């Protein structure tokens, strides 16, 4: 048993989609979340900058006595996780492996679409992992760089013409290519679930990278006997920009009330 909290981070609020799933599965676990809201988005940035930002995020989380870190950011998972795992001697779980495994299990026609940020798609990480699982699968990847900014600004609801226009623009090609499984390779994208699902149609299974990663880390901690038996501390949330904006939107990502204090940190110090 291990009563220490689990650290979770993302470039912004998207990682809360993983927190939501983690809390559903492991209600007793305390979570320390960092959202780098002052520097979001990471997706259009180069690898060196993403590694620098992600290292600062990990350094900050490590100021707490945490037992593991869930890298709830597709962009960091695809471009910086290997480097972080070499630097830090602690369990760091990303979102690529578990989402890829779920997609490979789900597809019936062998055609998988992956949507993610520009950096994630440029890394080729999803495609590489899916092909390691099954080289016969066809993977079609598409960067959707405008999804993160609209989601961070609260524009993700069905009936809003902005997300509907962008979803049509980005996903028309994938739909025409007849994918039957679509990986939402960025943890912000589940907010667009209804709009994407409506557009792709009933026959297409959506895979949430944050949810799959949460399920994976929950199983891993259980297997290693690192879960707690009782909630020893409330969740805590940290951001690098306005706590007000975070408070305003967080419950939409969590699909419940925000369940902990929010504080601003100067991430440049880490
Ligand atoms: N949630 C991050 C991801 O999963 C958003 C990326 C960004 O900041 O551009 O990739």
């Amino acid at each position: 048993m291990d009563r220490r909290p689990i650290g979770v981070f993302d470039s912004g609020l998207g990682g809360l989609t993983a927190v939501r799933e983690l809390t559903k599965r492991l209600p007793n676990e305390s979570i320390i979340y960092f959202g780098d809201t002052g520097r979001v988005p990471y997706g259009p940035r180069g690898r060196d900058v993403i590694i620098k930002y992600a290292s600062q995020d990990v350094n900050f989380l490590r100021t707490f006595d945490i037992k593991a870190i869930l890298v709830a950011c597709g962009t960091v998972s695809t471009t910086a996780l290997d480097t972080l795992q070499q630097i830090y001697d602690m369990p760091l779980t990303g979102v690529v492996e578990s989402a890829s495994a779920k997609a490979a299990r789900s597809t019936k026609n062998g055609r998988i679409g992956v949507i993610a940020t520009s950096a994630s798609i440029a890394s080729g990480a999803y495609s590489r992992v899916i092909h390691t699982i099954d080289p016969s699968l066809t993977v079609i990847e598409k960067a959707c760089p405008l999804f993160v900014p609209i989601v961070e600004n609260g524009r993700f609801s069905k009936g809003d013409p902005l997300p509907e226009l962008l979803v049509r623009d980005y996903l028309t090609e994938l739909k025409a290519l007849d994918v039957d499984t679509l990986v939402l390779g960025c943890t912000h994208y589940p907010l667009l679930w209804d709009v994407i699902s409506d557009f792709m149609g009933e026959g297409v299974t959506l895979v949430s990278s944050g949810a799959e990663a949460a399920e994976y880390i929950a199983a891993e901690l259980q297997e290693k006997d690192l879960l707690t038996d009782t909630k020893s501390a409330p969740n805590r949330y940290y951001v690098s920009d306005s706590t007000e904006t975070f408070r305003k939107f967080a419950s939409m990502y969590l699909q419940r009330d925000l369940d902990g204090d929010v504080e601003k940190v100067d991430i440049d110090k880490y």
Side-chain angles (χ1 to χ4, degrees):
M1 190 194 321
D2 189 331
R3 292 206 170 105
R4 291 176 298 166
I6 301 171
V8 181
F9 77 91
D10 178 41
S11 57
L13 288 98
L16 295 176
T17 60
V19 171
R20 161 173 107 205
E21 301 301 325
L22 204 51
T23 311
K24 263 194 225 160
R25 286 168 177 82
L26 305 174
N28 284 334
E29 296 296 323
S30 300
I31 291 167
I32 297 187
Y33 183 86
F34 175 67
D36 198 0
T37 52
R39 302 191 295 196
V40 66
Y42 285 7
R45 300 180 196 273
R47 189 163 178 270
D48 290 352
V49 174
I50 295 169
I51 290 173
K52 177 184 157 197
Y53 286 0
S55 306
Q56 290 178 311
D57 303 344
V58 173
N59 290 339
F60 169 67
L61 285 176
R62 278 166 58 95
T63 60
F64 302 90
D65 186 19
I66 48 175
K67 60 186 164 196
I69 290 183
L70 174 58
V71 180
C73 176
T75 305
V76 173
S77 302
T78 53
T79 55
L81 188 63
D82 291 0
T83 308
L84 296 177
Q85 284 169 335
Q86 278 161 24
I87 301 173
Y88 300 100
D89 182 23
M90 71 173 303
L92 282 149
T93 302
V95 300
V96 178
E97 271 75 14
S98 44
S100 300
K102 175 67 182 276
R105 283 197 306 276
S106 296
T107 185
K108 303 232 165 11
N109 71 1
R111 300 174 73 74
I112 297 171
V114 176
I115 55 173
T117 64
S118 301
S120 288
I121 297 303
S123 77
Y126 279 103
S127 176
R128 224 171 13 253
V129 174
I130 293 170
H131 282 138
T132 308
I133 298 166
D134 183 348
S136 74
L137 296 171
T138 300
V139 182
I140 303 143
E141 297 190 281
K142 175 82 183 166
C144 305
L146 294 175
F147 279 177
V148 170
I150 63 163
V151 166
E152 286 276 326
N153 282 283
R155 301 287 301 273
F156 42 72
S157 304
K158 240 166 90 170
D160 181 337
L162 182 62
E164 294 196 344
L165 173 78
L166 287 178
V167 163
R168 191 167 53 249
D169 190 74
Y170 284 137
L171 303 189
T172 294
E173 193 190 341
L174 284 176
K175 192 174 173 177
L177 290 169
D178 196 29
V179 299
D180 73 349
T181 302
L182 181 64
V183 178
L184 309 189
C186 165
T187 53
H188 280 71
Y189 296 1
L191 276 291
L192 291 161
W193 189 281
D194 291 346
V195 183
I196 292 173
S197 161
D198 259 21
F199 179 76
M200 295 303 286
E202 269 183 14
V204 177
T205 303
L206 304 188
V207 175
S208 160
S209 50
E212 293 310 315
E215 191 168 330
Y216 179 85
I217 198 172
E220 245 206 342
L221 292 173
Q222 170 128 48
E223 195 186 305
K224 293 183 179 151
D225 194 23
L226 290 176
L227 294 177
T228 180
D229 57 346
T230 170
K231 185 133 187 154
S232 45
N235 293 349
R236 284 153 80 175
Y237 298 88
Y238 295 88
V239 288
S240 51
D241 200 344
S242 155
T243 55
E244 274 322 297
T245 313
F246 185 85
R247 276 200 194 90
K248 186 168 158 207
F249 291 120
S251 57
M252 293 189 215
Y253 290 74
L254 291 167
Q255 290 184 346
R256 56 180 158 81
D257 290 342
L258 186 61
D259 53 355
D261 288 346
V262 188
E263 261 177 65
K264 187 173 172 185
V265 293
D266 180 359
I267 195 64
D268 283 326
K269 283 199 202 140
Y270 296 88

